[in-house]
Amino acid sequence: MLGFAATRTQVATYLFGVALFSISFLVFLNSSISFVVTQRIGQAHHVGDAVGTLGFADELVALVACPVWGLLSDRVGVRSVAVIGYTIVGVSLWVFMAAKNVYPQLLLARLLFSLGATATATMVTAILPTMTVVPSGKPVQDPRTPRGRQNGASHALAPSISSELTITPARFQSSSPSRDSNTAGVADKDMAASTSHLAGLVGIFTGCGALVALLLFLPLPTRFGAGGAEPAAAVADAFYVVGTIAIFVALGCFFGLRRLPGEDEKGWGRLVHTNHKPSESGSARPRSLSYPRLFWESIRLGYQSPTIGLGYVGGFVARASSVAISLFIPLFTNTYFLSTGQCRAADPSDPADIKHSCPQAYKLAAMLTGISQLVALLCAPIFGHLSARYPKYNLPLILAAAAGVAGYAAFGSVASPDPKGKDGSGGIFAIVALLGISQIGAIVCSLALLGRGINNDDSSTSRLHNVEERMPSNGHPSAGATPPRSPTLTPTSEEAPLLGANHSRNRPSPDPTSHTHLKGSIAGTYSLLGGFGILLLTKAGGALFDSSGPGAPFYMMAAFNALLLFVSAAVAIKDAYISVKRDGRET
């Protein structure tokens, strides 16, 4: 049973709205942009160059926009950014149909679309912690307690004053914060499991989002054309319909993501203000940081928190892996068929793509990438379950990175991607399956790591720090140690409860090291590093493809996964050392 801090409506809106459609509109545009150039604008030459330039400009905008949207969401809220993002996507798809030339009109439309798409993609990461993370300062019910407490007040009988005068080590330990830590540990474990399982669901819904684009959005021009519409009009009708769907998704996010946990203090009033008033309860609120400070804090946490830092590295590898599968597998396959003379080279003056110039290569590339993505889709819930079941030492991420090292190194060394070819074998299917496992494992595990790191619910370092605070240097409480201060037993008035509302013996105190106020900035940095991974592999991998051979980009991806494997192992070794040290202090 998954435990969410958000309501069912909020969780459903997040999965069926934000996660599902964040990739759908991007896949639709990338697959249909060439038809806009040829059918709407009528350009028959240099189509590939125009499409490549538009895609490159999209990634450049994404590098800047991702962290900006993340920073903005920490002020105005993730709901507002998601609504704005999908609204921009819808409007930009309509603007595409008003373009009369590639430069500057189509380029400006693509840049506008990139602004909206980066907002929605960043919010996939930023909203996830709000689904499972209990906001700081809110009561967390002890799952072992048969009766819940109202308003955080405990009505358990307090020990008498005379019984507290005699302190023994056993009594000191029974009344010490260790009981609270045990309760917090149960809640943290459940929260970490929910975060990991939800990350697995996000992986499933993003994969299904690509299927929505392929099965529903992309066939629209053909269906409109079958109804008698001209090719240019059919493309325009498809863009108008998909743009309208984006607007409806924005409306769904507007109503479905209201009152998200931890978002009640955010709003447009905090867009420029760096300070705000105390809450109604009188508790101190964290001061709003300036935008440069928010970005710097998200970068610093990557070095300070092993969990968040490892999530960053995982996101970098995951995004690069998506390009390796969708771009370089078809390119590798096409090059092989051209080099063996099994198909003709495309005519640069002909807008026909690989589907017409080399249909054998297109079919094989579609099959290989399809198998990889199908395996990824099937493995998404598996990695979500593994991340929840075995979060210690990040074993699922290590497994995904190892699969990436083996799969990419093997694909780069194959002589033929064609299993029916002279040098081919059926082992190519196992290799692309490893690529899918590596990709989805890095996506799901990195999202789960960020979710847990933002809430700081699995920090071995903080637990060790808590133990050191409770225990003297000799590891045992002394007989003369000062016991925890008991709450005042005398009420201030007749209407006041006997025990104050702040008294809760078994309720864990909110984690002061939680980073929920930075979740948007962290999500923006995560997307920024992912975009950098895409650009690096696209440009450097493409150059190596031409100079060193078709296998070079895959060896490059194997090196990326080896880096992820090394960092994961280093963090696991550090966690093991801290765990041993903590156990020694507790005993």
Side-chain angles (χ1 to χ4, degrees):
M1 180 73 180
L2 298 181
F4 295 127
T7 65
R8 293 181 179 179
T9 300
Q10 292 168 341
V11 174
T13 303
Y14 172 57
L15 292 176
F16 288 94
V18 181
L20 181 67
F21 287 101
S22 63
I23 192 69
S24 296
F25 301 116
L26 181 61
V27 172
F28 168 75
L29 182 63
N30 288 338
S31 301
S32 58
I33 187 67
S34 61
F35 295 100
V36 177
V37 176
T38 57
Q39 301 295 334
R40 291 288 301 176
I41 296 179
Q43 179 172 321
H45 302 282
H46 308 292
V47 176
D49 178 70
V51 172
T53 301
L54 293 174
F56 182 73
D58 182 287
E59 291 298 332
L60 288 180
V61 171
L63 286 178
V64 178
C66 283
V68 171
W69 285 120
L71 297 173
L72 185 65
S73 69
D74 282 333
R75 291 288 190 86
V76 302
V78 293
R79 168 180 172 247
S80 298
V81 174
V83 171
I84 293 174
Y86 279 115
T87 302
I88 294 176
V89 167
V91 172
S92 66
L93 291 175
W94 295 341
V95 171
F96 267 100
M97 296 302 97
K100 302 299 182 182
N101 53 59
V102 176
Y103 308 109
Q105 295 181 9
L106 201 61
L107 176 62
L108 293 176
R110 184 60 190 255
L111 297 182
L112 181 63
F113 176 88
S114 181
L115 285 177
T118 51
T120 61
T122 303
M123 290 307 100
V124 172
T125 307
I127 296 177
L128 189 147
T130 66
M131 298 288 106
T132 56
V133 173
V134 178
S136 177
K138 299 294 180 66
V140 181
Q141 183 174 336
D142 184 355
R144 300 170 301 175
T145 303
R147 295 175 59 185
R149 294 172 173 82
Q150 301 295 329
N151 300 325
S154 171
H155 298 285
L157 294 178
S160 64
I161 299 178
S162 61
S163 66
E164 292 188 354
L165 296 178
T166 305
I167 302 300
T168 65
R171 182 169 294 158
F172 182 88
Q173 291 181 354
S174 66
S175 61
S176 67
S178 62
R179 292 176 61 89
D180 292 349
S181 299
N182 293 335
T183 301
V186 174
D188 289 345
K189 183 177 180 180
D190 293 340
M191 191 177 299
S194 297
T195 302
S196 300
H197 282 118
L198 185 59
L201 292 176
V202 171
I204 294 176
F205 276 85
T206 52
C208 291
L211 294 179
V212 168
L214 295 174
L215 300 179
L216 297 181
F217 293 168
L218 289 178
L220 287 177
T222 303
R223 294 177 181 176
F224 290 135
E230 295 293 329
V235 172
D237 291 341
F239 269 72
Y240 288 135
V241 169
V242 177
T244 302
I245 293 175
I247 297 297
F248 277 108
V249 174
L251 291 174
C253 293
F254 179 81
F255 292 104
L257 296 178
R258 290 182 300 174
R259 301 183 180 90
L260 282 171
E263 295 285 299
D264 53 327
E265 298 176 357
K266 298 179 181 180
W268 291 101
R270 293 183 56 191
L271 182 62
V272 295
H273 297 289
T274 57
N275 292 291
H276 50 93
K277 299 179 181 180
S279 61
E280 295 179 357
S281 61
S283 60
R285 295 178 182 175
R287 185 175 66 89
S288 298
L289 301 176
S290 62
Y291 290 109
R293 182 67 183 277
L294 283 171
F295 180 68
W296 168 247
E297 287 297 316
S298 68
I299 296 293
R300 185 180 62 85
L301 283 174
Y303 295 95
Q304 189 178 65
S305 169
T307 304
I308 294 178
L310 188 56
Y312 285 165
V313 178
F316 171 85
V317 175
R319 293 291 298 277
S321 183
S322 65
V323 173
I325 293 174
S326 62
L327 175 62
F328 285 108
I329 287 182
L331 187 58
F332 185 98
T333 305
N334 189 37
T335 301
Y336 169 78
F337 276 84
L338 289 173
S339 64
T340 56
Q342 299 183 51
C343 63
R344 63 179 177 83
D347 185 357
S349 63
D350 186 359
D353 56 9
I354 187 177
K355 295 181 182 180
H356 304 95
S357 63
C358 196
Q360 305 99 313
Y362 172 77
K363 293 178 181 178
L364 178 60
M367 181 173 60
L368 294 178
T369 55
I371 291 174
S372 176
Q373 296 305 309
L374 176 61
V375 171
L377 187 63
L378 295 176
C379 289
I382 296 176
F383 272 100
H385 174 74
L386 292 176
S387 297
R389 185 74 179 272
Y390 307 103
K392 194 173 184 180
Y393 308 138
N394 303 304
L395 294 179
L397 185 58
I398 291 177
L399 174 63
V405 173
Y408 282 108
F411 197 100
S413 62
V414 297
S416 169
D418 187 2
K420 299 179 181 179
K422 179 181 178 181
D423 300 321
S425 69
I428 190 68
F429 299 120
I431 293 175
V432 295
L434 286 176
L435 303 190
I437 292 173
S438 170
Q439 179 192 20
I440 199 63
I443 291 174
V444 172
C445 293
S446 62
L447 287 176
L449 284 169
L450 286 186
R452 298 202 303 263
I454 287 173
N455 194 45
N456 201 33
D457 60 8
D458 62 345
S459 174
S460 300
T461 305
S462 63
R463 292 172 188 166
L464 175 63
H465 179 68
N466 292 336
V467 172
E468 290 175 342
E469 285 184 342
R470 296 199 308 266
M471 293 294 186
S473 59
N474 60 4
H476 300 282
S478 62
T482 303
R485 184 180 299 274
S486 300
T488 303
L489 299 180
T490 304
T492 56
S493 65
E494 293 182 359
E495 292 79 9
L498 181 62
L499 298 180
N502 294 328
H503 176 79
S504 179
R505 185 168 297 275
N506 291 327
R507 178 167 57 91
S509 59
D511 187 358
T513 59
S514 173
H515 310 300
T516 53
H517 61 293
L518 297 172
K519 61 180 180 292
S521 303
I522 294 172
T525 302
Y526 173 82
S527 299
L528 170 66
L529 293 175
F532 179 71
I534 291 177
L535 282 182
L536 181 61
L537 184 67
T538 302
K539 293 303 177 182
L544 291 174
F545 186 96
D546 295 331
S547 61
S548 301
F554 299 95
Y555 290 127
M556 188 174 177
M557 276 304 308
F560 286 171
N561 280 273
L563 173 64
L564 178 60
L565 181 61
F566 172 79
V567 175
S568 301
V571 173
I573 293 173
K574 180 180 179 181
D575 287 345
Y577 170 76
I578 292 177
S579 180
V580 171
K581 186 177 179 182
R582 183 189 67 219
D583 293 341
R585 289 294 181 89
E586 288 180 338
T587 56

